[in-house]
Amino acid sequence: MLSTGLAAAAALLVAVAPRLPRLRERYDTAALQPITGQPLDESGPAPLDKVLQDWVMDGAGSGATLLPWHFPAAPRPLACAIVSPTQRQRVHAFGYRLAGYHQLDTRSRLGGIAYRIGVQLRPLLWFLPRRNDEPWDDAWLTNVDEPRLAALARWQPRRPTLIVLDSPVEGAAARVMDALQASLHRNLSQHPVRLLILHDGDLAEMASTLTTQIRVLPDQRNG
């Protein structure tokens, strides 16, 4: 019985071996800037939250596979949307929750450590589909210079990622999109990446300069 158990454990270890390097993956601070600060407490309905949730999940895929050594590609690896900066606080709150930071706020120190360990180990469970509350990586970009663009082009996403580009200067959004497309092409688009642009001025005009597939999200001022 013991030998059978050891054999089964050895077979499982061999099966998940291709996924073990993922345990060493860390947040890439050269390419990304994490969302900082707790969001303001906003009461009342938030219709934009549902719009954003539907948008990030559309084409994200389940993340599950039948075989542990397979890595399914996201059906829609990269998507971009534009929203008015009047919704900056709501976007900040959405990104904060999507990244799971609120989970750490409600846990003790030991509970937070256990939560982080669970998040790190979950990719080993290849057969589990992605949950709606599973934390994404996050970024809030305010200064996109040449080193950051180069890092984005080399960046290897370790999990689904939301990137907020806050009030970019002219031409910056297109360059970020180009860098992300280069990154996802190099890394076979295993994880969905969502770029949300906070932009002043004519949103529709900005979208037309990037791609016809960009969504202009409604300015839900009362949300």
Side-chain angles (χ1 to χ4, degrees), residues 165-220:
L165 184 58
D166 193 351
S167 301
V169 299
E170 183 177 357
R175 299 188 68 189
V176 169
M177 281 286 288
D178 289 342
L180 291 176
Q181 288 171 341
S183 167
L184 295 181
H185 178 72
R186 177 180 293 116
N187 295 295
L188 303 178
S189 308
Q190 293 177 8
H191 299 295
V193 175
R194 302 293 180 255
L195 176 66
L196 182 62
I197 303 171
L198 298 177
H199 178 65
D200 290 298
D202 189 337
L203 302 181
E205 180 180 346
M206 184 178 186
S208 66
T209 65
L210 294 173
T211 170
T212 57
Q213 297 181 347
I214 286 185
R215 292 182 58 184
V216 179
L217 301 181
D219 182 7
Q220 313 230 16

Side-chain angles (χ1 to χ4, degrees), residues 132-151:
N132 285 341
D133 63 346
E134 187 172 338
W136 287 40
D137 269 344
D138 64 287
W140 194 285
L141 302 183
T142 56
N143 180 27
V144 183
D145 53 15
E146 292 300 327
R148 190 169 300 281
L149 287 170

Side-chain angles (χ1 to χ4, degrees), residues 86-102:
T86 60
Q87 294 298 309
R88 183 176 283 106
Q89 291 183 3
R90 181 62 67 187
V91 169
H92 180 270
F94 173 80
Y96 192 87
R97 290 187 64 84
L98 187 68
Y101 293 137
H102 67 297

Side-chain angles (χ1 to χ4, degrees), residues 99-148:
Y101 293 137
H102 67 297
Q103 298 281 1
L104 299 176
D105 293 339
T106 59
R107 286 172 163 79
S108 65
R109 183 176 181 181
L110 289 178
I113 293 174
Y115 176 76
R116 290 177 182 274
I117 292 175
V119 171
Q120 292 291 337
L121 293 180
R122 187 172 175 82
L124 296 181
L125 305 178
W126 69 93
F127 50 87
L128 291 181
R130 185 182 300 115
R131 304 190 313 263
N132 285 341
D133 63 346
E134 187 172 338
W136 287 40
D137 269 344
D138 64 287
W140 194 285
L141 302 183
T142 56
N143 180 27
V144 183
D145 53 15
E146 292 300 327
R148 190 169 300 281

Side-chain angles (χ1 to χ4, degrees), residues 17-77:
R19 292 177 171 264
L20 292 178
R22 293 195 169 192
L23 299 181
R24 299 196 303 268
E25 294 177 346
R26 296 295 181 265
Y27 186 90
D28 188 345
T29 55
L32 308 175
Q33 293 172 280
I35 294 176
T36 59
Q38 290 186 342
L40 297 176
D41 182 18
E42 295 186 0
S43 59
L48 183 59
D49 287 359
K50 185 179 187 309
V51 174
L52 290 172
Q53 184 70 23
D54 291 344
W55 169 66
V56 298
M57 293 299 180
D58 182 22
S62 71
T65 182
L66 291 176
L67 301 174
W69 50 85
H70 285 178
F71 298 93
R76 181 176 295 173

